[in-house]
Amino acid sequence: MRVMLAEDSTLLREGLVRLLAEEGHRVAAAVGDATALVAAVTADPPEAVVVDVRMPPTHTDEGLRAALEIRRRWPAVGVLVLSQYVEKRYAVELLTSQSGGVGYLLKDRVAQVGEFLDALARVADGGAAFDPEVVRQLLARTSHTDPLSRLTVRERAVLDLMAQGHTNAAIAAQLHVSQSAVEKHVNAIFDKLDLAHVTGYSRRVLAVLRYLGG
């Protein structure tokens, strides 16, 4: 996979470059700010980018704004955001800007090499990958929205894993139930969230967006 990185911590950036190279990926650019990342993507878009949230010059939300720009201008490029924090406003905007090809992991997750590489592969393939803590905090932001209150504990657990980007088979494995049981829960979620079949829209994505308050 051809990847670009934006991370202002030299130590972490070089570590990611080495990790990705060792896993057989080609790091086409590794830069220290969001402006340089957008310039590199403009010159030759990669399959995926990994971007920190807070970078120079203000160290606030430069990375997330670059991620949104990349999703808007190059929707085929997967975007995996890394952060020590959950930036709720832009995280929801990122989630609702496209139906796939996005992820948001807390930096602690990078230490779990397998999870990080799996998340990167998923977003490059058009899927989604969200840290459970990100999902939890985004859900807390919108806990007053009530259609979700109709879900059972098990249905909420299934939807939580859907929001993290897992397939029905992966959810079944994590919850130690059959895939058909997961499919039954997913259909119940669609019904309780009043998500009827509409041509051109994924009910799975709509359910996740409803869950996250999009």
Side-chain angles (χ1 to χ4, degrees):
M1 184 194 314
R2 188 167 171 274
V3 184
M4 291 182 177
L5 304 175
E7 166 61 57
D8 63 315
S9 166
T10 304
L11 186 62
L12 180 56
R13 184 171 69 243
E14 293 304 316
L16 288 171
V17 169
R18 181 170 300 184
L19 170 64
L20 291 168
E22 288 175 351
E23 293 297 324
H25 302 301
R26 186 158 72 90
V27 180
V31 299
D33 63 76
T35 301
L37 174 64
V38 174
V41 174
T42 301
D44 190 6
E47 293 172 69
V49 300
V50 179
V51 56
D52 188 14
V53 169
R54 299 182 178 183
M55 289 188 288
T58 68
H59 295 279
T60 55
D61 54 20
E62 290 85 352
L64 264 179
R65 286 190 280 116
L68 287 167
E69 181 178 353
I70 291 168
R71 293 301 297 159
R72 185 181 68 253
R73 294 175 61 187
W74 300 279
V77 176
V79 173
L80 180 60
V81 174
L82 293 179
S83 178
Q84 289 178 293
Y85 315 96
V86 180
E87 303 286 350
K88 294 178 180 176
R89 174 189 166 193
Y90 285 113
V92 170
E93 190 172 343
L94 179 67
L95 286 167
T96 56
S97 63
Q98 295 287 339
S99 60
V102 295
Y104 193 127
L105 296 184
L106 297 181
K107 283 188 173 178
D108 290 347
R109 196 69 60 180
V110 176
Q112 308 297 321
V113 174
E115 292 185 28
F116 168 69
L117 294 173
D118 176 67
L120 182 59
R122 270 192 278 162
V123 300
D125 199 35
F130 293 93
D131 193 290
E133 179 59 21
V134 174
V135 173
R136 188 192 69 75
Q137 291 197 31
L138 292 178
L139 175 62
R141 168 183 175 271
T142 58
S143 59
H144 62 283
T145 56
D146 218 26
L148 296 167
S149 67
R150 289 183 280 175
L151 302 183
T152 66
V153 172
R154 178 63 85 182
E155 289 162 356
R156 187 174 283 265
V158 169
L159 185 52
D160 184 90
L161 290 168
M162 286 167 57
Q164 294 173 41
H166 294 288
T167 64
N168 285 356
I171 293 170
Q174 291 208 32
L175 297 181
H176 306 292
V177 298
S178 68
Q179 190 167 331
S180 62
V182 173
E183 291 167 356
K184 182 179 176 182
H185 289 310
V186 170
N187 286 326
I189 291 167
F190 293 158
D191 290 341
K192 291 181 179 180
L193 297 185
D194 300 320
L195 296 173
H197 282 290
V198 178
T199 302
Y201 291 90
S202 164
R203 289 197 296 171
R204 194 178 186 91
V205 172
L206 293 175
V208 169
L209 294 179
R210 185 77 58 82
Y211 182 53
L212 299 176

